Amino acid sequence: MRKVHVVAAAIGAVLAAGAASVAVGRLASGAALKLPPGRPLPTEPRLTVHGLGGGRITLTRDLASRRPGVYGLAGNGSHAVVGEVLEGAEQSPDTVVRRLQRLTHGAFAPGDPAWLTPTAYVGDPGSALGLEYADIDVPGELGPLPAWFVPGPRDTWVIAVHGLGTTREQSLNVMGMLHALGLPVLALAYRGDIGGPRSPDGLSHLGETEWRDVDAAIRYAVRYGARRVVLLGWSTGATMALHAAERSSLRDRIAGLILDSPVLGWEATLRALAHARHVPGPLLPLAVRAAQGRAGMRTARHAVGVEPLKVPTLIFHGPDDKVAPWADSRRMAARQPGLVSLHPVPEAPHAAMWNADPTRYEDLLRRFLTPLL
């Protein structure tokens, strides 16, 4: 009888440990898969405003606040655009002074929390850029997908797809340049976005299911006059573009791909996001396994970007990306050097390659697009 009790106790301990592991895994995976649109990624440090005035703003000294380029600065209900670091300005060992280019809305005061964001423009194409546009609904498998359509005279359309931690406002960074080339632009909000249909499980699938909304946008574009489309995606939006290029029944209409910080290996991205949300290191493997089960993600053997590409592809990515390892982009470019062009962008966080050097980014974008027009 005593042996029976010991065995029963051991079995109970194993079952309890297993149940606890499942629960912990679900909790840890949720830290990476539940990412509200328009909120900063957990990898982005929180800063404090220390002062502003005279076209300048003083922020907490951090590697992030010293990045070169142009960034949005978001706070609680406020947004501004900050430019270069003013090296000659009076600074303390704990602060950095940057140029304050414009205050979009709200107000910042000393002591306010703030964080840098790739979104340099807020609003819509009309209010932010003065462009003629239409609010449309793209029919998707889960319901209508809100989108902005900026018309243009050409029959090659650009479908712009944002990624983690942003909204379709991110496309405003390059929309003016695309419009100047005469390209119609369709900027999509997909499942899980503000105003979009809810994902059935409430989770981000890092592009694994969301790509179907890009497929719906391609169908919409072709239905309304597009002869060909170029897919422009940031982060998981780039992942969706790659999935569409591989799986869409209309993939023959895709003329080119522009990928900014593509998420090519979801395991590494999940680990990075969970770690940034302070999931302990020993629990990260549990988070990855739980995420695979909850979100139905494919294994590394079937990772996105492994299949040969069939259209010209431009990749912007940098070694300082903490969310999507740029080594994956290097391998993709090395496999097809005649078709895939990789442009490294140092000192830029995830999906903020334009922000680091807008002029160079747009020049490379223009050179890539011109032969496809």
Side-chain angles (χ1 to χ4, degrees):
M1 182 66 71
R2 184 169 180 273
K3 288 184 179 179
V4 172
H5 287 159
V6 170
V7 171
I11 292 173
V14 169
L15 291 175
S21 296
V22 171
V24 168
R26 286 182 63 85
L27 181 64
S29 66
L33 294 175
K34 294 182 178 179
L35 298 167
R39 298 295 298 173
L41 292 177
T43 52
E44 190 61 36
R46 303 304 190 270
L47 308 172
T48 300
V49 176
H50 292 270
L52 69 166
R56 302 178 177 188
I57 187 164
T58 304
L59 301 169
T60 307
R61 180 175 289 271
D62 188 274
L63 287 176
S65 60
R66 289 193 56 78
R67 293 170 186 152
V70 178
Y71 288 86
L73 184 72
N76 295 324
S78 301
H79 182 274
V81 178
V82 297
E84 72 276 15
V85 175
L86 299 175
E87 299 290 358
E90 184 177 345
Q91 306 184 46
S92 77
D94 300 321
T95 61
V96 170
V97 180
R98 298 188 72 117
R99 187 175 305 283
L100 181 61
Q101 292 192 354
R102 65 179 181 274
L103 181 65
T104 312
H105 60 75
F108 287 97
D112 284 351
W115 55 89
L116 296 177
T117 169
T119 304
Y121 297 90
V122 295
D124 55 49
S127 62
L129 302 172
L131 297 178
E132 177 189 349
Y133 82 102
D135 284 306
I136 64 169
D137 285 328
V138 173
E141 67 174 2
L142 298 181
L145 305 168
W148 294 322
F149 176 64
V150 178
R154 300 190 184 274
D155 58 8
T156 296
W157 290 28
V158 173
I159 297 176
V161 193
H162 72 88
L164 299 172
T166 61
T167 67
R168 54 183 162 153
E169 288 176 323
Q170 186 172 20
S171 66
L172 297 173
N173 289 351
V174 296
M175 195 174 286
M177 186 274 290
L178 297 173
H179 180 70
L181 290 177
L183 291 162
V185 181
L186 186 65
L188 185 70
Y190 48 85
R191 64 189 68 188
D193 270 347
I194 298 170
R198 184 181 183 275
S199 174
D201 57 11
L203 300 175
S204 166
H205 291 216
L206 303 185
E208 183 67 28
T209 57
E210 293 89 347
W211 77 270
R212 297 180 190 128
D213 296 340
V214 177
D215 186 43
I218 297 172
R219 293 179 182 279
Y220 182 95
V222 170
R223 185 182 308 126
Y224 287 96
R227 185 172 59 87
R228 301 193 300 171
V229 300
V230 173
L231 303 183
L232 164 58
W234 294 263
S235 179
T236 50
T239 311
M240 296 176 218
L242 283 165
H243 281 313
E246 177 186 342
R247 306 177 190 176
S248 173
S249 62
L250 291 175
R251 56 187 176 274
D252 61 312
R253 297 296 191 109
I254 299 173
L257 299 172
I258 302 163
L259 313 175
D260 188 314
S261 313
V263 174
L264 302 177
W266 60 263
E267 296 98 330
T269 295
L270 280 174
R271 282 176 173 269
L273 294 172
H275 177 72
R277 287 193 166 174
H278 309 294
V279 173
L283 299 183
L284 292 177
L286 286 174
V288 171
R289 288 199 296 272
Q292 182 178 0
R294 296 177 73 186
M297 295 179 186
R298 299 189 295 176
T299 64
R301 291 177 299 171
H302 304 288
V304 65
V306 173
E307 295 296 322
L309 294 170
K310 296 179 174 60
V311 296
T313 300
L314 174 65
I315 305 176
F316 295 98
H317 210 162
D320 298 298
D321 190 331
K322 296 180 180 178
V323 176
W326 91 302
D328 293 339
S329 291
R330 291 177 65 187
R331 282 191 288 269
M332 177 188 281
R335 283 195 296 268
Q336 293 181 273
L339 198 63
V340 181
S341 177
L342 170 63
H343 291 275
V345 184
E347 298 184 81
H350 183 63
M353 306 300 115
W354 175 88
N355 303 82
D357 190 343
T359 301
R360 178 174 180 268
Y361 189 104
E362 292 184 12
D363 182 56
L364 291 168
L365 201 57
R366 188 178 295 106
R367 293 183 191 182
F368 176 79
L369 286 168
T370 299
L372 304 180
L373 300 180

